[in-house]
Coordinates of all heavy atoms in Angstrom, one line a residue:
M406 N 0.8 -1.1 0.0 CA 0.1 0.0 0.0 C 0.9 1.3 0.1 O 1.9 1.3 0.7 CB -1.0 0.0 1.2 CG -1.7 1.3 1.4 SD -2.9 1.0 2.7 CE -2.0 1.6 4.1
D407 N 0.5 2.2 -0.9 CA 1.3 3.5 -0.8 C 0.3 4.6 -0.6 O -0.9 4.5 -1.0 CB 2.0 3.7 -2.2 CG 3.0 2.5 -2.6 OD1 3.9 2.4 -1.6 OD2 3.0 2.0 -3.6
V408 N 0.8 5.7 -0.1 CA 0.0 6.8 0.2 C 0.5 7.9 -1.0 O 1.6 8.1 -1.3 CB 0.2 7.4 1.5 CG1 -0.6 8.7 1.6 CG2 -0.4 6.4 2.5
T409 N -0.5 8.6 -1.6 CA -0.1 9.5 -2.6 C 0.8 10.6 -2.0 O 0.7 10.9 -0.9 CB -1.6 10.3 -3.2 OG1 -2.2 10.9 -2.1 CG2 -2.3 9.2 -3.8
P410 N 1.5 11.4 -2.8 CA 2.4 12.4 -2.2 C 1.7 13.5 -1.5 O 2.1 14.1 -0.6 CB 3.1 12.9 -3.5 CG 2.9 11.8 -4.5 CD 1.7 11.2 -4.2
T411 N 0.4 13.8 -1.9 CA -0.4 14.7 -1.2 C -1.0 14.2 0.1 O -1.7 15.1 0.8 CB -1.5 15.3 -2.2 OG1 -2.3 14.2 -2.5 CG2 -1.1 16.0 -3.4
G412 N -1.0 13.0 0.2 CA -1.5 12.3 1.6 C -3.0 12.2 1.7 O -3.6 11.8 2.6
D413 N -3.7 12.3 0.5 CA -5.1 12.2 0.4 C -5.8 11.0 -0.2 O -6.9 10.8 -0.5 CB -5.8 13.4 -0.2 CG -5.4 13.7 -1.7 OD1 -4.5 12.7 -2.1 OD2 -5.9 14.5 -2.4
G414 N -4.8 10.0 -0.5 CA -5.2 8.7 -1.1 C -4.3 7.5 -1.0 O -3.2 7.8 -0.7
I415 N -4.8 6.4 -1.1 CA -4.0 5.1 -1.1 C -4.0 4.5 -2.6 O -4.9 4.6 -3.2 CB -4.7 4.1 -0.2 CG1 -4.7 4.7 1.2 CG2 -4.0 2.8 -0.3 CD1 -5.6 3.9 2.2
T416 N -2.8 4.1 -2.9 CA -2.7 3.5 -4.3 C -1.8 2.2 -4.0 O -1.3 2.0 -3.0 CB -1.9 4.5 -5.3 OG1 -0.5 4.8 -4.8 CG2 -2.5 5.7 -5.5
G417 N -1.9 1.3 -5.1 CA -1.1 0.1 -4.9 C -1.4 -0.8 -3.8 O -0.7 -1.4 -3.4
F418 N -2.8 -0.8 -3.3 CA -3.1 -1.7 -2.3 C -3.2 -3.2 -2.8 O -4.0 -3.4 -3.9 CB -4.5 -1.4 -1.6 CG -4.8 -2.1 -0.6 CD1 -4.3 -1.6 0.7 CD2 -5.5 -3.4 -0.6 CE1 -4.6 -2.5 1.9 CE2 -5.9 -4.1 0.5 CZ -5.4 -3.6 1.7
E419 N -2.5 -4.1 -2.4 CA -2.4 -5.5 -2.9 C -2.2 -6.4 -1.7 O -1.5 -6.2 -0.8 CB -1.3 -5.6 -3.9 CG -1.3 -6.9 -4.5 CD -0.4 -7.0 -5.7 OE1 0.0 -6.0 -6.3 OE2 0.1 -8.2 -5.9
I420 N -3.1 -7.5 -1.8 CA -3.0 -8.6 -0.7 C -2.6 -9.8 -1.5 O -3.3 -10.1 -2.7 CB -4.3 -8.8 0.0 CG1 -4.7 -7.5 0.6 CG2 -4.2 -10.0 0.9 CD1 -6.1 -7.6 1.1
H421 N -1.5 -10.4 -1.3 CA -0.9 -11.4 -2.1 C -1.7 -12.8 -2.0 O -1.8 -13.5 -2.8 CB 0.5 -11.7 -1.9 CG 1.4 -10.6 -2.4 ND1 1.7 -10.4 -3.7 CD2 1.8 -9.5 -1.7 CE1 2.4 -9.2 -3.9 NE2 2.4 -8.6 -2.5
T422 N -2.2 -13.1 -0.7 CA -2.9 -14.4 -0.5 C -4.1 -14.1 0.4 O -3.9 -13.6 1.6 CB -2.0 -15.4 0.2 OG1 -0.9 -15.5 -0.6 CG2 -2.7 -16.7 0.3
V423 N -5.4 -14.4 -0.1 CA -6.6 -14.3 0.7 C -7.1 -15.8 0.6 O -7.3 -16.4 -0.4 CB -7.5 -13.5 0.1 CG1 -8.8 -13.4 0.8 CG2 -7.1 -12.0 -0.1
N424 N -7.1 -16.4 1.8 CA -7.8 -17.8 2.0 C -9.1 -17.6 2.4 O -9.5 -17.0 3.4 CB -6.9 -18.6 3.0 CG -5.5 -18.7 2.6 OD1 -5.1 -18.7 1.4 ND2 -4.5 -18.6 3.5
E425 N -10.0 -18.4 1.6 CA -11.4 -18.4 1.9 C -11.9 -19.8 2.2 O -11.6 -20.7 1.4 CB -12.2 -17.8 0.8 CG -11.8 -16.4 0.4 CD -12.6 -15.8 -0.8 OE1 -13.8 -16.1 -1.0 OE2 -11.9 -15.2 -1.7
S426 N -12.8 -20.0 3.2 CA -13.4 -21.4 3.4 C -14.7 -21.5 2.6 O -15.3 -20.4 2.5 CB -13.8 -21.4 4.9 OG -12.5 -21.5 5.6
C427 N -14.9 -22.5 2.1 CA -16.1 -22.6 1.2 C -17.2 -23.5 1.7 O -16.9 -24.4 2.6 CB -15.8 -23.1 -0.2 SG -14.6 -22.1 -1.1
D428 N -18.4 -23.2 1.4 CA -19.5 -24.2 1.8 C -20.1 -24.6 0.3 O -20.4 -23.8 -0.6 CB -20.6 -23.3 2.3 CG -21.7 -24.2 2.8 OD1 -21.6 -25.4 2.9 OD2 -22.9 -23.6 2.9
P429 N -20.2 -25.9 0.0 CA -20.2 -27.0 0.9 C -18.9 -27.7 1.4 O -18.9 -28.6 2.0 CB -21.0 -28.0 0.1 CG -20.6 -27.7 -1.4 CD -20.3 -26.2 -1.4
G430 N -17.8 -27.1 1.0 CA -16.6 -27.6 1.4 C -15.4 -27.1 0.7 O -15.7 -26.5 -0.4
G431 N -14.3 -27.3 1.0 CA -13.0 -26.9 0.3 C -12.6 -25.6 0.6 O -13.0 -24.9 1.6
A432 N -11.6 -25.0 -0.2 CA -11.2 -23.6 0.1 C -11.0 -23.0 -1.3 O -10.7 -23.7 -2.4 CB -10.0 -23.7 0.9
F433 N -11.0 -21.6 -1.4 CA -10.7 -20.9 -2.6 C -9.5 -20.0 -2.1 O -9.6 -19.2 -1.1 CB -11.9 -20.0 -2.8 CG -11.9 -19.4 -4.2 CD1 -11.9 -20.1 -5.3 CD2 -11.9 -18.0 -4.2 CE1 -11.8 -19.5 -6.7 CE2 -11.9 -17.3 -5.5 CZ -11.9 -18.1 -6.7
Y434 N -8.4 -19.8 -3.0 CA -7.2 -19.1 -2.6 C -7.0 -18.1 -3.8 O -7.2 -18.4 -4.9 CB -6.0 -20.1 -2.5 CG -6.2 -21.0 -1.5 CD1 -6.5 -22.4 -1.8 CD2 -6.0 -20.7 -0.2 CE1 -6.6 -23.3 -0.7 CE2 -6.1 -21.7 0.8 CZ -6.5 -23.0 0.6 OH -6.7 -23.9 1.4
G435 N -6.5 -17.0 -3.4 CA -6.3 -16.0 -4.4 C -5.8 -14.8 -3.8 O -5.3 -14.6 -2.6
G436 N -5.5 -13.8 -4.6 CA -5.0 -12.5 -4.1 C -6.1 -11.4 -4.4 O -7.0 -11.6 -5.2
S437 N -5.8 -10.2 -4.0 CA -6.8 -9.0 -4.4 C -5.8 -7.9 -4.5 O -4.9 -7.6 -3.7 CB -7.8 -8.9 -3.2 OG -8.8 -8.1 -3.7
G438 N -6.1 -7.0 -5.4 CA -5.5 -5.7 -5.5 C -6.5 -4.8 -6.0 O -7.5 -4.9 -6.7
I439 N -6.2 -3.5 -5.7 CA -7.0 -2.2 -6.1 C -6.3 -1.4 -6.9 O -5.1 -0.9 -6.6 CB -7.6 -1.7 -4.8 CG1 -8.4 -2.5 -4.0 CG2 -8.5 -0.4 -5.2 CD1 -9.0 -2.0 -2.7
T440 N -6.9 -1.2 -8.3 CA -6.3 -0.2 -9.1 C -6.9 1.1 -8.7 O -8.1 1.2 -8.3 CB -6.4 -0.8 -10.5 OG1 -7.8 -0.8 -10.8 CG2 -5.7 -1.8 -10.8
G441 N -6.4 2.2 -9.2 CA -6.8 3.6 -8.8 C -6.5 4.0 -7.5 O -5.6 3.5 -6.9
T442 N -7.2 5.0 -6.9 CA -6.9 5.6 -5.7 C -8.1 5.6 -4.8 O -9.2 5.7 -5.1 CB -6.5 7.1 -6.0 OG1 -5.4 7.2 -6.8 CG2 -6.3 7.8 -4.6
I443 N -7.8 5.1 -3.6 CA -8.7 5.1 -2.4 C -8.5 6.4 -1.7 O -7.6 6.6 -1.2 CB -8.5 3.9 -1.5 CG1 -8.6 2.5 -2.2 CG2 -9.6 3.8 -0.3 CD1 -8.1 1.3 -1.6
P444 N -9.7 7.1 -1.6 CA -9.6 8.5 -0.9 C -9.3 8.3 0.7 O -10.0 7.3 1.2 CB -10.9 9.2 -1.2 CG -11.5 8.4 -2.3 CD -11.0 7.0 -2.3
I445 N -8.6 9.1 1.2 CA -8.4 9.1 2.6 C -9.1 10.4 3.1 O -8.9 11.4 2.7 CB -6.8 9.3 3.1 CG1 -6.0 8.1 2.5 CG2 -6.7 9.4 4.6 CD1 -4.6 8.1 2.7
A446 N -10.1 10.2 4.0 CA -10.9 11.4 4.6 C -10.0 12.2 5.4 O -8.9 11.8 5.9 CB -12.1 10.7 5.3
S447 N -10.5 13.4 5.7 CA -9.7 14.3 6.5 C -9.5 13.8 7.9 O -8.6 14.2 8.6 CB -10.4 15.6 6.5 OG -11.7 15.5 7.2
N448 N -10.4 12.9 8.5 CA -10.1 12.3 9.7 C -9.2 11.0 9.8 O -9.1 10.3 10.7 CB -11.5 11.9 10.4 CG -12.3 10.8 9.5 OD1 -11.8 10.3 8.6 ND2 -13.4 10.5 10.2
G449 N -8.6 10.7 8.5 CA -7.6 9.6 8.3 C -8.3 8.4 7.9 O -7.5 7.2 8.0
T450 N -9.5 8.1 7.8 CA -10.3 7.0 7.7 C -10.3 6.7 6.1 O -10.3 7.6 5.2 CB -11.7 6.9 8.1 OG1 -12.6 7.9 7.6 CG2 -11.6 7.1 9.5
F451 N -10.5 5.5 5.6 CA -10.6 5.1 4.3 C -11.4 3.8 4.1 O -11.4 3.0 5.1 CB -9.2 4.8 3.5 CG -8.4 3.9 4.2 CD1 -8.3 2.5 4.0 CD2 -7.5 4.2 5.3 CE1 -7.5 1.6 4.5 CE2 -6.7 3.3 6.0 CZ -6.6 2.1 5.5
S452 N -12.1 3.7 3.0 CA -12.9 2.5 3.0 C -13.2 2.3 1.3 O -13.2 3.2 0.6 CB -14.3 2.4 3.6 OG -15.1 3.4 3.2
V453 N -13.4 1.1 1.0 CA -13.8 0.7 -0.4 C -14.7 -0.6 -0.4 O -14.4 -1.5 0.6 CB -12.5 0.6 -1.3 CG1 -11.7 -0.6 -0.9 CG2 -13.1 0.6 -2.8
N454 N -15.6 -0.6 -1.2 CA -16.5 -1.7 -1.4 C -16.4 -2.1 -2.9 O -17.0 -1.2 -3.7 CB -17.9 -1.6 -0.9 CG -17.9 -1.4 0.6 OD1 -17.5 -2.3 1.4 ND2 -18.4 -0.2 1.0
L455 N -16.0 -3.3 -3.3 CA -15.9 -3.6 -4.7 C -16.6 -4.8 -5.0 O -16.7 -5.8 -4.2 CB -14.4 -3.8 -5.2 CG -13.5 -2.6 -4.9 CD1 -12.0 -3.0 -5.2 CD2 -13.8 -1.4 -5.8
T456 N -17.4 -4.9 -6.0 CA -18.2 -6.1 -6.4 C -18.2 -6.2 -7.9 O -17.9 -5.2 -8.7 CB -19.7 -6.0 -6.0 OG1 -20.3 -4.9 -6.6 CG2 -19.9 -5.9 -4.6
G457 N -18.1 -7.6 -8.4 CA -18.0 -7.7 -9.8 C -17.6 -9.1 -10.1 O -16.9 -9.8 -9.2
P458 N -17.9 -9.6 -11.3 CA -17.4 -10.9 -11.7 C -16.0 -10.9 -12.2 O -15.5 -9.9 -12.7 CB -18.5 -11.3 -12.7 CG -18.8 -10.0 -13.3 CD -18.8 -8.9 -12.3
F459 N -15.3 -12.0 -12.1 CA -14.1 -12.3 -12.9 C -14.1 -13.7 -13.3 O -14.9 -14.6 -12.9 CB -12.9 -11.7 -12.0 CG -12.6 -12.8 -10.8 CD1 -11.9 -14.0 -11.0 CD2 -13.0 -12.5 -9.5 CE1 -11.6 -14.8 -9.8 CE2 -12.9 -13.2 -8.5 CZ -12.1 -14.4 -8.6
T460 N -13.3 -14.0 -14.2 CA -13.2 -15.4 -14.9 C -11.9 -16.2 -14.6 O -11.0 -15.6 -14.9 CB -13.6 -15.2 -16.5 OG1 -14.6 -14.6 -16.7 CG2 -13.5 -16.6 -17.1
L461 N -12.0 -17.3 -14.2 CA -10.9 -18.2 -13.9 C -10.4 -18.7 -15.3 O -11.0 -18.6 -16.2 CB -11.3 -19.3 -13.0 CG -11.7 -19.0 -11.6 CD1 -12.0 -20.2 -10.8 CD2 -10.7 -18.1 -10.9
S462 N -9.2 -19.2 -15.2 CA -8.4 -19.8 -16.4 C -9.3 -20.8 -17.1 O -9.3 -21.0 -18.3 CB -7.0 -20.2 -16.1 OG -7.2 -21.2 -15.2
D463 N -10.1 -21.5 -16.3 CA -11.0 -22.6 -16.9 C -12.3 -22.2 -17.5 O -13.2 -23.0 -17.8 CB -11.2 -23.8 -16.0 CG -12.1 -23.5 -14.6 OD1 -12.4 -22.2 -14.5 OD2 -12.2 -24.3 -13.8
G464 N -12.5 -20.9 -17.4 CA -13.8 -20.3 -17.8 C -14.9 -20.1 -16.7 O -15.9 -19.6 -17.1
T465 N -14.6 -20.6 -15.6 CA -15.5 -20.4 -14.4 C -15.8 -19.0 -14.1 O -14.8 -18.2 -13.9 CB -15.1 -21.2 -13.1 OG1 -15.0 -22.5 -13.5 CG2 -16.0 -21.0 -12.0
I466 N -16.9 -18.5 -13.9 CA -17.2 -17.1 -13.6 C -17.4 -17.0 -12.1 O -18.3 -17.8 -11.6 CB -18.5 -16.6 -14.3 CG1 -18.1 -16.5 -15.9 CG2 -18.8 -15.2 -13.8 CD1 -19.4 -16.2 -16.8
V467 N -16.7 -16.1 -11.4 CA -16.8 -16.0 -10.0 C -17.3 -14.6 -9.8 O -16.9 -13.6 -10.3 CB -15.3 -16.1 -9.4 CG1 -15.3 -15.9 -7.9 CG2 -14.7 -17.4 -9.6
N468 N -18.3 -14.6 -8.9 CA -18.9 -13.3 -8.4 C -18.2 -12.9 -7.1 O -18.3 -13.7 -6.2 CB -20.5 -13.4 -8.1 CG -21.2 -13.7 -9.5 OD1 -20.9 -12.8 -10.3 ND2 -21.7 -14.8 -9.6
D469 N -17.4 -11.8 -7.1 CA -16.6 -11.4 -5.9 C -17.0 -10.2 -5.3 O -17.6 -9.2 -6.1 CB -15.1 -11.1 -6.7 CG -14.2 -10.8 -5.5 OD1 -13.8 -11.6 -4.8 OD2 -13.9 -9.5 -5.7
T470 N -16.9 -10.1 -4.0 CA -17.2 -8.9 -3.1 C -15.9 -8.7 -2.3 O -15.5 -9.6 -1.6 CB -18.5 -9.1 -2.3 OG1 -19.5 -9.3 -3.2 CG2 -18.8 -7.8 -1.5
F471 N -15.3 -7.5 -2.3 CA -14.3 -7.2 -1.5 C -14.5 -5.8 -0.8 O -14.9 -4.8 -1.3 CB -12.9 -7.0 -2.3 CG -11.7 -6.6 -1.7 CD1 -11.0 -7.7 -0.9 CD2 -11.3 -5.4 -1.5 CE1 -9.8 -7.3 -0.3 CE2 -10.2 -5.0 -0.7 CZ -9.4 -6.1 -0.1
T472 N -14.4 -5.9 0.5 CA -14.4 -4.7 1.4 C -13.2 -4.4 2.1 O -12.6 -5.3 2.6 CB -15.8 -4.9 2.4 OG1 -15.5 -5.9 3.2 CG2 -17.0 -5.0 1.6
L473 N -13.0 -3.2 2.4 CA -11.7 -2.7 3.1 C -11.9 -1.5 3.8 O -12.7 -0.4 3.3 CB -10.5 -2.4 2.0 CG -9.4 -1.8 2.5 CD1 -8.5 -2.6 3.4 CD2 -8.6 -1.1 1.4
H474 N -11.7 -1.4 5.1 CA -11.9 -0.3 6.0 C -10.7 -0.2 6.9 O -10.0 -1.1 7.3 CB -13.1 -0.6 6.9 CG -14.4 -0.9 6.2 ND1 -15.2 0.1 5.5 CD2 -15.0 -2.1 5.9 CE1 -16.2 -0.6 4.8 NE2 -16.2 -1.7 5.1
G475 N -10.5 1.3 7.2 CA -9.3 1.4 8.0 C -9.1 2.8 8.4 O -9.8 3.7 7.9
S476 N -7.9 3.1 9.0 CA -7.7 4.4 9.4 C -6.2 4.6 9.7 O -5.6 3.6 10.0 CB -8.5 4.9 10.7 OG -8.2 3.9 11.9
F477 N -5.7 5.9 9.6 CA -4.4 6.2 9.9 C -4.3 6.8 11.3 O -5.1 7.7 11.6 CB -3.9 7.2 8.8 CG -3.5 6.5 7.5 CD1 -4.4 6.4 6.6 CD2 -2.1 5.9 7.4 CE1 -4.0 5.8 5.4 CE2 -1.8 5.3 6.2 CZ -2.9 5.2 5.2
S478 N -3.1 6.5 11.8 CA -2.8 7.2 13.2 C -1.3 7.5 12.9 O -0.5 6.5 13.2 CB -3.1 6.5 14.3 OG -2.5 7.1 15.6
G479 N -0.9 8.7 12.6 CA 0.5 9.0 12.2 C 1.0 8.1 11.2 O 0.3 7.9 10.1
P480 N 2.1 7.4 11.2 CA 2.6 6.6 10.3 C 2.1 5.1 10.1 O 2.4 4.3 9.3 CB 4.1 6.5 10.5 CG 4.1 6.6 11.9 CD 3.0 7.5 12.4
T481 N 1.0 4.8 11.0 CA 0.5 3.6 11.0 C -0.8 3.5 10.5 O -1.8 4.4 10.8 CB 0.6 3.1 12.5 OG1 1.9 3.1 12.8 CG2 0.0 1.6 12.6
A482 N -1.3 2.6 9.6 CA -2.6 2.3 9.2 C -3.2 0.9 9.8 O -2.4 0.1 9.7 CB -2.8 2.2 7.7
I483 N -4.4 0.9 10.4 CA -4.8 -0.3 10.9 C -6.3 -0.3 10.2 O -6.9 0.5 9.7 CB -5.0 -0.3 12.5 CG1 -6.0 0.8 12.9 CG2 -3.7 -0.3 13.1 CD1 -6.3 0.7 14.4
G484 N -6.7 -1.7 10.0 CA -8.0 -1.8 9.5 C -8.3 -3.4 9.3 O -7.7 -4.3 9.8
S485 N -9.3 -3.5 8.5 CA -9.8 -4.9 8.1 C -10.2 -5.1 6.6 O -10.6 -4.0 6.1 CB -10.9 -5.4 9.1 OG -12.0 -4.5 8.9
F486 N -10.2 -6.2 6.2 CA -10.8 -6.6 4.8 C -11.5 -7.9 4.9 O -11.2 -8.7 5.9 CB -9.7 -6.6 3.9 CG -8.7 -7.5 3.8 CD1 -9.0 -8.9 3.2 CD2 -7.6 -7.5 4.5 CE1 -8.1 -9.9 3.3 CE2 -6.6 -8.5 4.6 CZ -7.0 -9.7 4.0
K487 N -12.4 -8.0 4.0 CA -13.1 -9.3 3.8 C -13.4 -9.5 2.3 O -13.7 -8.5 1.6 CB -14.5 -9.2 4.5 CG -15.4 -10.4 4.5 CD -16.5 -10.2 5.4 CE -17.4 -11.3 5.4 NZ -18.7 -11.2 6.1
E488 N -13.2 -10.9 2.0 CA -13.5 -11.2 0.6 C -14.5 -12.3 0.5 O -14.4 -13.3 1.4 CB -12.3 -11.5 -0.3 CG -12.6 -11.7 -1.7 CD -11.3 -11.5 -2.5 OE1 -10.1 -11.7 -2.1 OE2 -11.5 -11.3 -3.7
S489 N -15.5 -12.3 -0.4 CA -16.5 -13.3 -0.5 C -16.5 -13.6 -2.0 O -16.6 -12.7 -2.8 CB -17.8 -12.9 -0.1 OG -17.8 -12.5 1.3
D490 N -16.7 -14.9 -2.5 CA -16.8 -15.3 -3.7 C -17.8 -16.4 -3.9 O -18.1 -17.2 -3.0 CB -15.4 -15.9 -4.2 CG -14.5 -14.8 -4.4 OD1 -14.6 -13.9 -5.2 OD2 -13.5 -14.8 -3.6
S491 N -18.6 -16.4 -5.0 CA -19.5 -17.5 -5.2 C -19.4 -17.9 -6.8 O -19.1 -17.0 -7.5 CB -21.0 -17.0 -4.9 OG -21.3 -16.0 -5.8
F492 N -19.5 -19.1 -6.9 CA -19.4 -19.8 -8.2 C -19.9 -21.2 -8.3 O -20.3 -21.7 -7.2 CB -17.9 -19.8 -8.8 CG -17.0 -20.6 -7.7 CD1 -16.8 -21.9 -8.0 CD2 -16.4 -20.1 -6.7 CE1 -15.9 -22.6 -7.1 CE2 -15.7 -20.7 -5.8 CZ -15.4 -22.0 -6.0
S493 N -20.0 -21.7 -9.4 CA -20.5 -23.2 -9.5 C -19.3 -23.9 -10.2 O -18.7 -23.5 -11.1 CB -21.7 -23.3 -10.4 OG -22.9 -22.7 -9.7
S494 N -19.1 -25.1 -9.7 CA -18.1 -26.1 -10.1 C -18.8 -27.4 -10.4 O -19.2 -28.0 -9.5 CB -16.9 -26.2 -9.2 OG -16.1 -27.0 -9.8
E495 N -18.7 -27.9 -11.6 CA -19.2 -29.2 -12.1 C -20.8 -29.3 -11.5 O -21.3 -30.3 -10.9 CB -18.6 -30.3 -11.5 CG -17.2 -30.2 -12.0 CD -16.1 -31.6 -11.5 OE1 -16.6 -32.2 -10.7 OE2 -15.0 -31.4 -12.0
G496 N -21.6 -28.2 -11.6 CA -22.9 -28.1 -11.2 C -23.1 -27.9 -9.7 O -24.3 -27.8 -9.4
T497 N -22.2 -27.8 -9.0 CA -22.3 -27.5 -7.5 C -22.1 -26.2 -7.1 O -20.9 -25.6 -7.5 CB -21.4 -28.5 -6.7 OG1 -21.6 -29.9 -7.0 CG2 -21.6 -28.1 -5.2
P498 N -23.1 -25.4 -6.5 CA -22.7 -24.0 -6.2 C -21.8 -23.9 -5.0 O -22.1 -24.7 -4.1 CB -24.1 -23.4 -5.9 CG -24.9 -24.6 -5.6 CD -24.3 -25.9 -6.4
F499 N -21.0 -22.9 -4.9 CA -20.0 -22.8 -3.8 C -20.1 -21.4 -3.3 O -20.3 -20.5 -4.1 CB -18.5 -23.0 -4.2 CG -18.2 -24.5 -4.4 CD1 -18.5 -25.1 -5.6 CD2 -17.7 -25.2 -3.3 CE1 -18.1 -26.5 -5.7 CE2 -17.3 -26.5 -3.6 CZ -17.6 -27.3 -4.6
S500 N -20.1 -21.2 -2.0 CA -20.0 -19.7 -1.5 C -18.9 -19.8 -0.6 O -18.6 -20.7 0.3 CB -21.2 -19.7 -0.7 OG -21.2 -18.4 -0.1
C501 N -17.9 -18.9 -0.8 CA -16.6 -18.8 -0.1 C -16.5 -17.5 0.6 O -16.9 -16.5 0.0 CB -15.5 -19.1 -1.0 SG -15.5 -20.5 -2.0
N502 N -15.6 -17.5 1.7 CA -15.6 -16.2 2.5 C -14.3 -16.3 3.3 O -14.0 -17.3 4.0 CB -16.8 -16.2 3.5 CG -16.9 -14.8 4.1 OD1 -15.9 -14.4 4.7 ND2 -18.2 -14.3 4.1
S503 N -13.7 -15.2 3.3 CA -12.3 -15.1 4.1 C -12.7 -14.8 5.6 O -11.7 -14.9 6.4 CB -11.5 -14.0 3.5 OG -12.0 -12.7 3.8
G504 N -13.9 -14.3 5.9 CA -14.0 -13.8 7.3 C -13.3 -12.4 7.4 O -12.5 -12.0 6.5
D505 N -13.5 -11.7 8.5 CA -12.9 -10.5 8.6 C -11.3 -10.7 8.9 O -11.0 -11.5 9.9 CB -13.4 -9.6 9.7 CG -14.8 -9.1 9.4 OD1 -15.0 -8.8 8.3 OD2 -15.8 -8.9 10.3
Q506 N -10.4 -10.1 8.2 CA -9.1 -10.1 8.4 C -8.5 -8.8 8.7 O -8.9 -7.8 8.1 CB -8.4 -10.7 7.0 CG -8.9 -11.9 6.5 CD -8.6 -13.1 7.5 OE1 -7.5 -13.3 8.0 NE2 -9.6 -13.9 7.8
T507 N -7.7 -8.8 9.8 CA -7.2 -7.5 10.2 C -5.9 -7.2 9.7 O -5.0 -8.2 9.5 CB -7.2 -7.2 11.8 OG1 -6.4 -8.3 12.3 CG2 -8.6 -7.4 12.3
F508 N -5.4 -6.0 9.7 CA -4.0 -5.6 9.3 C -3.5 -4.5 9.9 O -4.3 -3.6 10.4 CB -4.0 -5.4 7.7 CG -4.7 -4.2 7.2 CD1 -4.1 -3.0 7.2 CD2 -6.0 -4.4 6.8 CE1 -4.8 -1.9 6.8 CE2 -6.7 -3.4 6.1 CZ -6.1 -2.0 6.3
T509 N -2.2 -4.3 10.1 CA -1.4 -3.2 10.7 C -0.4 -2.9 9.7 O 0.5 -3.8 9.6 CB -1.0 -3.4 12.1 OG1 -2.1 -3.6 12.9 CG2 -0.3 -2.1 12.6
L510 N -0.2 -1.7 9.2 CA 0.8 -1.3 8.2 C 1.6 -0.1 8.8 O 0.9 0.8 9.2 CB 0.4 -1.0 6.8 CG -0.5 -2.1 6.2 CD1 -1.2 -1.6 5.0 CD2 0.4 -3.3 5.8
T511 N 2.8 -0.1 8.8 CA 3.7 1.0 9.2 C 4.5 1.6 8.1 O 5.2 0.8 7.4 CB 4.6 0.6 10.5 OG1 3.7 0.1 11.6 CG2 5.2 1.9 11.0
K512 N 4.7 2.9 8.0 CA 5.4 3.5 7.1 C 6.9 3.0 7.1 O 7.5 3.0 8.3 CB 5.4 5.1 7.1 CG 6.2 5.8 6.1 CD 6.0 7.2 6.4 CE 7.0 8.0 5.3 NZ 6.9 9.4 5.6
S513 N 7.4 2.6 5.9 CA 8.9 2.2 6.0 C 9.6 3.2 5.0 O 9.1 3.9 4.3 CB 9.0 0.9 5.4 OG 8.4 0.7 4.2

């Protein structure tokens, strides 16, 4: 995650691995990244809610929801994110969810 030079936005937010438990079983693994800029409010908070489909290499269409919320206190950002996906595989519908995942990032 990077902060814009003006300090009013976040760019380059990327999570390399998001593990999701699925119903009726199994797991879904992937990463998540946000292109563009996430605004930082004057009180230091930020949030984004993204939804939309994407297609796996085998042609499976996955409906994805990603939410991110956090705040800055000096050089440290704390927050949480959650990713949920639904898709069908071989006729079986799957619903997968990462649950709330927390993070702490410090300026380096």
Side-chain angles (χ1 to χ4, degrees):
M406 174 171 87
D407 296 312
V408 175
T409 61
T411 56
D413 61 354
I415 296 169
T416 61
F418 188 88
E419 189 170 332
I420 301 167
H421 293 281
T422 304
V423 178
N424 299 328
E425 300 176 42
S426 297
C427 298
D428 182 25
F433 191 66
Y434 303 97
S437 194
I439 298 173
T440 58
T442 302
I443 302 166
I445 300 172
S447 59
N448 65 358
T450 62
F451 55 92
S452 67
V453 66
N454 297 300
L455 303 173
T456 60
F459 66 90
T460 304
L461 298 176
S462 61
D463 67 357
T465 301
I466 296 173
V467 178
N468 293 304
D469 180 71
T470 301
F471 180 82
T472 58
L473 167 74
H474 305 280
S476 63
F477 282 92
S478 177
T481 302
I483 61 169
S485 65
F486 68 88
K487 181 178 183 178
E488 188 159 20
S489 302
D490 292 292
S491 60
F492 59 93
S493 289
S494 178
E495 298 178 4
T497 301
F499 285 83
S500 177
C501 307
N502 190 307
S503 70
D505 290 325
Q506 303 295 313
T507 60
F508 64 86
T509 301
L510 303 170
T511 303
K512 180 180 178 181
S513 58

